[in-house]
Amino acid sequence: MSEEPQKPLDTGMAPNPEMAPDPRLERLYRGEKLQREDYLELIRSRDDLRKEASILACRVRDRIYGRQVFVRGLIEFTNHCRNNCHYCGIRADNKKLSRYRLAPAEIEDCTDAGYKLGFRTFVLQGGEDPYYTDEVLSGIVREIKRRHPDCAVTLSVGERSVESYRKLREAGTDRYLLRHETVNKRHYEKLHPKAMSYDNRMRCLKELKELGYQVGAGFMVGSPGQTDDDLADELVFLGELSPEMVGIGPFIPHKDTPYRDEPAGSAELTLFLLSLIRLTLPTALIPATTALGTIDPLGREKGIEAGANVLMPNLSPAEVRGKYMLYDNKICTGDEAAQAISRLKERVRKTGCEIVESRGDHKDWGE
Ligand code: SAM
C-alpha cells in the first residue's frame, strides 16, 4: 500500500461541494486494498457516502466494461430441495409449497426460446434435488452446448462432491454460482440447520475455483443476525477470494419459514455494498438481483447505477414461475420475464447503459 500523500481526486461528486471526497473511497478507487476497519467505517458512514461510492463504482465499471450490461437467462428448473435453510421458501420442511421439476427436454426448450430472444448465457438454478444426478445434469448441459455452442452455461445447484463438480465441468459447464451466504461461521450456523456446514460450503467454493469454473459467491444483505462487522468481513473476504461473479441481494422473509417475522434487508444498504464490491473487485460481474427488484420496483435500475452490470431475466416456463418462491412477493411476471426483454432494454437505456448480446465472460476483461 502506498504511504505517499496523494492529491485528492477531483471526483466531482461529493454530495456537498464543501465536503472533501472520502479518503477511503479514493483509495479503493485507486486500486488500493482496504483493511477491515476501513470497510467498517465506510459501512457506518453509508448515509453520507452513497452517492460518491456509486459514482466512483460506475466509473470503475465503465473503464473496464464500457456501459454494457450482460443478460443471463435464468431457468429455475426445480423447487425440490433436500436442505432446510431457515430463510428459504423452498426449504424441505415447507409442506405448503407445490413442488415441480422440469424434464431435461423442457429445460433445453427454454434455452432455445432464450437463444431466439438474444440470450447467450443460461443459468440453471434449483434446490438441491437428488433427481438431477450427475448423469442427468451432464446430459442437459451437453445438449444445451450442442444446440448453442456459442453460449455459456452456468449451474447453481448447491453443494456437491468434487467428483460431481468435475463431471459437470467436463460436460461443458462454464460457470457456477454458489453464494457463501455469510463469511461468519457462527452466523452461518444460525442461518442453517445442523446438517449443513460452513466448512463444506467453503470447500465447494475452493474446489469449483480449482476446477476452472468462473465462480460466483455472495450473500444476503440484512439476513437475521448480520452485523456491520460481518459486512466488513464480507468485503475483505470477497477481496481475497476474488470470485469472477458476486451476487448480493436483500434478505426478504417468506411466510412459511422460521424467519417469517424477521425484517427484510434494505435496498439502500444493498446498493451501497454493491458499489463497494465494484470498487474492491473492478472486473467482477455483478447482477442487480431479483431480490433487489422485488424490494424496490426500480431496484434493477438503481443496481446498475450503483455499479452492477448483469441482469438475470426469468426464462422458466410461465406455469412454474410462481412456484420458485424463495421469499414473499418474488417478482416473476413483469419486466423480469425474459420475454419482456425489449421493455428491460428500454429501462436499462434510461440508466445510460445498454444490454448487449454476448456471453460476457469474465476472462474477456479479467486482469
Ligand atoms: N440451491 C442452490 C444454492 O443453495 O446455492 C441455489 C438455489 S438458492 C434458493 C439461491 C439463493 O437464493 C441462495 O443462495 C440465497 O442467497 C437466496 N435466497 C434464499 N432465500 C432467500 C430469502 N428469503 N431472501 C433473499 N434471498 C434468498
Side-chain angles (χ1 to χ4, degrees):
M1 211 183 304
S2 162
E3 294 301 322
E4 280 178 35
Q6 305 255 15
K7 195 167 150 275
L9 285 176
D10 176 20
T11 54
M13 90 301 286
N16 166 353
E18 307 288 301
M19 276 167 73
D22 182 86
R24 292 153 301 201
L25 287 178
E26 279 191 46
R27 280 167 52 209
L28 265 187
Y29 182 73
R30 289 201 173 93
E32 290 178 29
K33 278 201 161 55
L34 289 194
Q35 304 293 316
R36 181 183 184 284
E37 294 312 310
D38 296 319
Y39 280 122
L40 187 57
E41 283 173 34
L42 283 173
I43 291 163
R44 288 184 175 153
S45 318
R46 56 187 175 261
D47 289 342
D48 299 328
L49 297 177
R50 212 183 296 291
K51 177 122 192 287
E52 188 176 345
S54 66
I55 292 173
L56 288 180
C58 287
R59 245 186 237 176
V60 165
R61 177 199 60 200
D62 295 352
R63 197 170 66 209
I64 292 162
Y65 289 101
R67 309 282 294 171
Q68 302 181 97
V69 170
F70 305 100
V71 284
R72 320 302 197 192
L74 178 63
I75 304 167
E76 296 164 333
F77 67 95
T78 173
N79 69 354
H80 288 262
C81 190
R82 63 178 175 180
N83 286 334
N84 254 315
C85 306
H86 300 324
Y87 45 82
C88 185
I90 66 168
R91 65 202 303 272
D93 282 357
N94 180 5
K95 305 295 179 215
K96 293 195 182 155
L97 185 67
S98 154
R99 305 274 172 177
Y100 73 92
R101 54 172 70 97
L102 299 184
E106 289 178 291
I107 300 173
E108 291 147 16
D109 289 351
C110 287
T111 66
D112 292 347
Y115 194 87
K116 289 200 190 107
L117 291 166
F119 290 89
R120 294 296 176 266
T121 291
F122 302 108
V123 180
L124 274 49
Q125 187 180 90
E128 293 195 14
D129 180 355
Y131 171 86
Y132 297 93
T133 59
D134 297 340
E135 286 61 40
V136 172
L137 263 184
S138 298
I140 296 168
V141 173
R142 284 208 170 86
E143 179 58 17
I144 296 172
K145 286 290 199 170
R146 191 190 65 75
R147 293 186 190 191
H148 309 295
D150 53 336
C151 292
V153 174
T154 305
L155 285 178
S156 177
V157 288
E159 298 175 17
R160 298 173 82 100
S161 68
V162 67
E163 251 336 291
S164 171
Y165 288 147
R166 180 172 295 120
K167 285 184 190 156
L168 296 171
R169 178 93 181 105
E170 283 165 5
T173 311
D174 303 277
R175 309 179 186 144
Y176 204 101
L177 304 180
L178 183 73
R179 290 185 177 179
H180 56 285
E181 311 295 359
T182 169
V183 70
N184 177 327
K185 188 168 180 166
R186 246 179 311 135
H187 188 214
Y188 188 93
E189 287 166 0
K190 175 182 163 66
L191 297 176
H192 299 94
K194 281 204 168 58
M196 292 180 74
S197 114
Y198 173 89
D199 292 338
N200 196 45
R201 199 82 173 173
M202 292 297 169
R203 169 199 60 85
C204 290
L205 277 175
K206 181 168 164 278
E207 288 172 353
L208 288 163
K209 264 204 143 200
E210 287 167 2
L211 288 166
Y213 285 93
Q214 295 172 53
V215 173
F219 58 91
M220 287 175 293
V221 177
S223 59
Q226 185 180 65
T227 63
D228 285 353
D229 284 271
D230 292 332
L231 291 173
D233 288 334
E234 292 296 353
L235 293 162
V236 173
F237 171 75
L238 286 173
E240 286 166 359
L241 181 73
S242 195
E244 284 79 11
M245 298 156 296
V246 183
I248 65 164
F251 158 76
I252 305 174
H254 184 290
K255 62 182 175 28
D256 301 316
T257 65
Y259 287 163
R260 61 183 65 82
D261 296 324
E262 296 289 338
S266 90
E268 286 69 30
L269 179 54
T270 305
L271 292 166
F272 183 66
L273 291 167
L274 207 154
S275 297
L276 294 188
I277 293 168
R278 167 64 62 207
L279 288 166
T280 303
L281 296 171
T283 63
L285 288 151
I286 306 178
T289 53
T290 308
L292 188 54
T294 296
I295 205 158
D296 181 333
L298 292 177
R300 260 85 45 90
E301 286 91 334
K302 290 181 185 173
I304 291 168
E305 285 165 353
N309 62 343
V310 172
L311 290 171
M312 297 170 71
N314 198 319
L315 255 185
S316 315
E319 57 277 15
V320 302
R321 242 176 250 165
K323 296 183 182 172
Y324 199 79
M325 271 299 147
L326 305 181
Y327 40 81
D328 291 338
N329 307 316
K330 178 169 167 270
I331 49 172
C332 60
T333 55
D335 290 355
E336 62 290 335
Q339 288 69 15
I341 187 76
S342 50
R343 281 207 301 277
L344 198 63
K345 280 186 180 163
E346 198 41 50
R347 287 173 63 168
V348 167
R349 214 166 281 139
K350 289 192 180 134
T351 69
C353 289
E354 197 73 42
I355 286 184
V356 292
E357 199 171 287
S358 151
R359 278 171 53 124
D361 278 297
H362 180 268
K363 67 174 165 42
D364 298 337
W365 293 274
E367 287 153 327

